[in-house]
């Protein structure tokens, strides 16, 4: 599979819309939790906690597939992780000031 290529997995438009709504709501609620977390933790501690929780959940769901990850997928995942880390660093630094 090439980066950016779409694969039809038989998902209906209704299900896709529902998943996007849940993701948007989760993303929005996470800002509230980040604000609360800044009262007791530093920005990098919150980022580390978020990444650990996300990794744990994804490992429970996709653990068997992680064993067969190819180099291209790993490169894309590292790039995505670095971009997300930078984004969260900027957001939390801004929220802390």
């Amino acid at each position: 599979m090439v980066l950016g290529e779409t694969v039809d997995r038989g998902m209906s438009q209704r299900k896709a819309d529902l998943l996007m709504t849940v993701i948007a709501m989760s993303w929005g609620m996470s800002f509230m939790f980040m604000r609360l977390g800044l009262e007791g933790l530093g920005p990098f501690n919150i980022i580390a906690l978020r990444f650990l929780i996300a990794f744990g959940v994804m490992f429970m769901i996709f653990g068997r597939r992680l064993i067969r990850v190819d180099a291209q997928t790993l490169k894309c995942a590292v790039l995505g992780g670095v971009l997300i880390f930078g984004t969260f660093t900027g957001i939390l630094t801004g929220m802390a000031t």
Side-chain angles (χ1 to χ4, degrees), residues 2-61:
V2 177
L3 183 64
E5 181 180 334
T6 59
V7 175
D8 182 12
R9 300 207 187 266
M11 185 181 300
S12 68
Q13 185 64 44
R14 181 179 171 98
K15 186 175 180 181
D17 291 342
L18 179 63
L19 286 172
M20 288 300 293
T21 302
V22 169
I23 291 168
M25 289 173 59
S26 299
W27 181 263
M29 288 187 329
S30 72
F31 287 101
M32 178 181 67
F33 293 120
M34 285 190 291
R35 174 61 83 182
L36 292 172
L38 281 172
E39 293 175 7
L41 298 171
F44 289 106
N45 291 337
I46 293 173
I47 294 169
L49 186 60
R50 274 186 78 125
F51 275 54
L52 285 173
I53 291 170
F55 177 77
V57 170
M58 290 295 121
F59 188 77
M60 285 189 280
I61 296 170

